[in-house]
Amino acid sequence: MDININIMTTQFNELGEKNIIKSNSEGTLYQKKDHKYIIYKQIEEGEEITTSLKIEENQVTIKRFGALNSTLRFKAGHVDTSNYLTPQGTFVIENHTNKLEIIEEKDISIYIDYDIKIMDMFTGRNVINIEIVEK
């Protein structure tokens, strides 16, 4: 099914300063067994990035492919460590999911509140709101 994806990420740095990033994309929603998969593409700094979201009952996995390669898993109360590959090198990321809400009615709403630590570099808090709307 063709869909529109509206993403708003609110980032807080160590000083509590807030940065809001909004993006909108078109993508495709697939149903496979008990999971939903969303695939969409975006251009970031002139490079195409493909993103897939795997939506399970109590976990969301976000994978990015292209100039950036990463896998982030979000499950309330859990800590996940993963590699984040960029043209500048590989970073180890640790994320602590504080809250995960998945609401499925006509559309799908995902709310993720998590703390992120880029090992040896950065610690901050992020909140992601994703709205998936049928075209």
Side-chain angles (χ1 to χ4, degrees), residues 25-43:
S25 295
E26 295 180 351
T28 306
L29 171 70
Y30 301 94
Q31 178 79 39
K32 186 174 182 182
K33 296 185 180 179
D34 294 337
H35 312 330
K36 290 185 172 59
Y37 294 86
I38 295 161
I39 309 289
Y40 65 94
K41 296 182 180 194
Q42 293 177 303
I43 303 294

Side-chain angles (χ1 to χ4, degrees), residues 1-134:
M1 169 187 335
D2 292 333
I3 56 171
N4 291 317
I5 303 155
N6 304 307
I7 302 169
M8 183 175 76
T9 303
T10 306
Q11 300 175 331
F12 299 90
N13 67 15
E14 293 169 320
L15 302 174
E17 298 166 332
K18 181 167 66 170
N19 182 30
I20 296 176
I21 303 166
K22 293 181 181 182
S23 67
N24 301 304
S25 295
E26 295 180 351
T28 306
L29 171 70
Y30 301 94
Q31 178 79 39
K32 186 174 182 182
K33 296 185 180 179
D34 294 337
H35 312 330
K36 290 185 172 59
Y37 294 86
I38 295 161
I39 309 289
Y40 65 94
K41 296 182 180 194
Q42 293 177 303
I43 303 294
E44 292 184 14
E45 298 182 15
E47 299 283 340
E48 183 176 84
I49 307 292
T50 300
T51 301
S52 72
L53 281 79
K54 179 181 181 183
I55 304 167
E56 300 175 70
E57 181 180 333
N58 62 354
Q59 179 173 296
V60 172
T61 303
I62 301 174
K63 292 186 179 186
R64 303 186 81 203
F65 308 93
L68 301 174
N69 288 287
S70 67
T71 301
L72 296 173
R73 285 179 232 27
F74 300 99
K75 184 175 183 177
H78 287 259
V79 176
D80 184 68
T81 303
S82 61
N83 291 330
Y84 193 85
L85 286 72
T86 72
Q88 293 77 31
T90 302
F91 302 96
V92 177
I93 295 179
E94 181 179 278
N95 65 298
H96 300 251
T97 306
N98 302 313
K99 186 175 184 179
L100 172 66
E101 290 181 358
I102 303 167
I103 301 169
E104 294 187 53
E105 293 173 354
K106 180 180 183 286
D107 300 325
I108 302 170
S109 294
I110 301 170
Y111 175 86
I112 306 168
D113 180 339
Y114 66 103
D115 294 316
I116 188 167
K117 180 177 184 181
I118 301 175
M119 304 304 235
D120 301 322
M121 286 187 59
F122 170 82
T123 301
R125 180 168 176 220
N126 293 318
V127 175
I128 301 174
N129 287 299
I130 303 171
E131 297 291 327
I132 299 137
V133 181
E134 185 177 344

